[in-house]
Amino acid sequence: MARIVVVGAGMGAMAAAARLATAGHRVTVVERASTHGGAVGRFARDGFVFDTGPGLLHLPAVWRDLFIKTGKRELGECVGLDRVDPAVEHRFADGVSVRLPAALGGAQQALDDALGAGAGERWAALLRRARQVWESTRRPLVEEPLTTQEQRAALREDPYPHEPRRGLLRRRTPGTLAELAAAELREPRLAALLTGTVWEYGVDPAVAPPGAAALAYVERSFGSWYPAGGMRALADAVYERCLERRVDFVFGTAAARVLAKDGRAGGVELADGAALPADSVVWGAPGLGATAPRATGRLTVLLALRGPRPAGTPHRTLVHPADLDRPPVRVLRPDDPALRPDADHETAVLSAPAPAHGAGGVDWTAPGVADRAADDLLAAAEAAGLDLAGRVLWRETRTPADVERDTGMPGGAIPTPALAGADATFLAAANTGRLTGAYRVGALAHPGGGLSHAGMSGALATGLIVEGPGWRGSY
């Protein structure tokens, strides 16, 4: 039995802690905040409850696997998980809207009806090529740890299988996701379905490699899922699983650095100077030399609304601006009684990518900056006909500065999932640290940001610790 210290109580860190404790190790988690969950936070007031971090779950199999491998009760017995249907509604400035059903077969007809004959087939053809990206990169990008420069070098080239281009006037191969969308979808609003989906992950399509289309394939194929009670219910269930496996949590305690002993990790030094010995250290917090590549922040506006949720309201709507090169505003309106005081009220969460806080970004603490940005999001929702402004009882605005304060993430940046291509600039930090016996998990570690990717990082670190540095399988 080894002593293992896990730094941070975010989702990737807790995933590692539960797995390591199940493997027989003595695990202690130290967390600077007063609670677990990291970016998966919650805000409650006057009977209204909101998720302040991720609003939906993709690739739920990552968390189902965690619960299967760490205890008797499966995920579905600990938290209800429902597939969102329709998957999303897209609204455009010209009044056109399209709802994509959760079932794969209905999307083509919906697109043809809204955007013209052939739109559905062009979308389906692009997703078929995106599937090839997923199948060729899922192991190195999601299922295997990243530990060497050779692995990183192998992911520098974009894996997207571009359409053959014939003739004397053939165009150059698209170099970015935005260029790919324009070239293959050939309809600005249809292209915005792809670029808008990628923006949802904090990835700017103007600089993302074409292989980022795999994010849209994964979402369409594996669905968007919502836990009853909100995303925080998933964080609570993972925390309870850790407690069942006898993981010790120490809240309100920040770790400063990894301590070395005999040339390997020997524990952590806490912010107060005390030392916490360990045989291995799993770092799941900002720091340890890891940064968020190409990450942006996110502005979020929580709305407490008078009046019931209208029948047929989609869970997720993307409101596209007239300038389709700009990111859409996401509107989440879950039909969840646990989030509202009664049936005569409703919650809504508006959000959009935003500059990070501080140097090189925006000072989100400056007077009026957050309010003006929140007004813009609400105005966009109103222009799309969502009829929210006149129903607002109160609102709460959360900026990248709030994210930085609550999670410690510099600038309040939201790490993106790892992507192949773009000379490997979308890859996160390796799962191994500078010292032997030190490991990274969470959104700043491979395979990057997003709930499921963070959860996978916990499995990857566990495999390296339990099976050794050459491990490349599934844990």
Side-chain angles (χ1 to χ4, degrees):
M1 176 188 292
R3 299 170 301 171
I4 299 177
V5 171
V6 177
V7 177
M11 297 298 283
M14 290 197 296
R19 290 177 182 272
L20 289 166
T22 302
H25 298 296
R26 189 165 72 249
V27 182
T28 299
V29 176
V30 294
E31 166 58 52
R32 63 186 285 274
S34 61
T35 187
H36 60 277
V40 186
R42 172 175 287 173
F43 179 84
R45 173 182 163 189
D46 301 337
F48 294 91
V49 180
F50 302 86
D51 287 317
T52 58
L56 291 170
L57 176 65
H58 306 292
L59 287 177
V62 171
W63 297 101
R64 292 190 180 112
D65 181 72
L66 172 73
F67 278 77
I68 288 171
K69 292 181 177 177
T70 60
K72 295 181 179 179
R73 294 188 302 150
E74 297 185 5
L75 176 61
E77 299 175 72
C78 300
V79 58
L81 202 59
D82 296 314
R83 187 166 186 168
V84 172
D85 192 12
V88 61
E89 179 180 63
H90 292 266
R91 293 199 178 198
F92 297 96
D94 60 4
V96 171
S97 65
V98 56
R99 290 189 180 187
L100 296 183
L104 295 178
Q108 286 187 234
Q109 187 61 55
L111 290 169
D112 281 349
D113 291 344
L115 303 177
E121 174 52 33
R122 294 197 300 277
W123 177 254
L126 185 142
L127 290 185
R128 286 194 292 270
R129 287 185 282 275
R131 176 181 179 177
Q132 296 180 51
V133 176
W134 171 249
E135 291 178 344
S136 66
T137 61
R138 64 180 295 173
R139 286 194 63 81
L141 276 183
V142 180
E143 298 175 353
E144 295 180 349
L146 178 65
T147 60
T148 69
Q149 287 300 317
E150 289 76 13
Q151 288 174 286
R152 186 175 292 272
L155 293 168
R156 286 176 180 166
E157 298 299 320
D158 177 58
Y160 188 85
H162 294 276
E163 290 181 306
R165 298 179 182 274
R166 301 180 178 87
L168 295 176
L169 300 179
R170 58 182 180 270
R171 296 162 293 174
R172 72 178 182 88
T173 300
T176 67
L177 190 281
E179 292 173 350
L180 174 77
E184 294 198 6
L185 297 176
R186 302 191 299 277
E187 205 285 345
R189 293 165 301 186
L190 186 60
L193 263 67
L194 178 62
T195 57
T197 299
V198 170
W199 267 120
E200 285 286 86
Y201 294 84
V203 178
D204 183 348
V207 297
L215 296 174
Y217 166 76
V218 168
E219 186 171 308
R220 286 299 301 156
S221 297
F222 300 103
S224 300
W225 298 78
Y226 175 77
M231 299 303 297
R232 182 66 183 186
L234 176 63
D236 292 343
V238 176
Y239 175 65
E240 291 297 327
R241 178 52 54 90
C242 286
L243 295 181
E244 290 173 11
R245 304 311 305 180
R246 298 185 179 179
V247 174
D248 292 326
F249 285 83
V250 183
F251 293 107
T253 301
R257 64 187 180 96
V258 178
L259 294 173
K261 181 179 180 181
D262 300 327
R264 58 170 290 126
V268 298
E269 180 182 313
L270 304 180
D272 63 4
L276 189 59
D279 300 301
S280 294
V281 174
V282 178
W283 196 280
L288 206 63
T291 58
R294 301 220 182 236
T296 63
R298 197 163 188 92
L299 178 73
T300 303
V301 184
L302 315 177
L303 299 179
L305 303 173
R306 63 173 63 86
R309 181 180 188 271
T313 297
H315 187 116
R316 175 173 56 157
T317 299
L318 294 186
V319 176
H320 296 268
D323 179 359
L324 293 175
D325 290 333
R326 293 173 51 216
V329 175
R330 181 179 66 196
V331 183
L332 295 180
R333 301 171 71 179
D335 187 10
D336 189 343
L339 305 187
R340 55 189 183 239
D342 52 51
D344 293 325
H345 294 85
E346 184 192 4
T347 64
V349 178
L350 315 183
S351 67
H357 174 62
V362 169
D363 180 2
W364 287 101
T365 63
V369 171
D371 282 340
R372 287 192 295 270
D375 288 342
D376 289 343
L377 295 195
L378 190 54
E382 285 306 288
L386 296 186
D387 189 27
L388 302 177
R391 299 172 54 203
V392 175
L393 287 170
W394 50 264
R395 77 185 192 192
E396 180 78 14
T397 302
R398 289 183 56 82
T399 73
D402 298 309
V403 174
E404 181 179 64
R405 179 197 64 222
D406 293 345
T407 68
M409 187 68 70
I414 309 296
T416 67
L419 298 171
D423 200 30
T425 57
F426 281 91
L427 295 184
N431 299 108
T432 48
R434 179 178 58 84
L435 289 170
T436 300
Y439 305 87
R440 294 186 182 94
V441 296
L444 290 175
H446 182 75
L451 270 178
S452 294
H453 289 75
M456 275 304 301
S457 73
L460 301 182
T462 300
L464 291 169
I465 292 170
V466 174
E467 302 295 339
W471 174 81
R472 288 293 180 270
S474 175
Y475 198 86

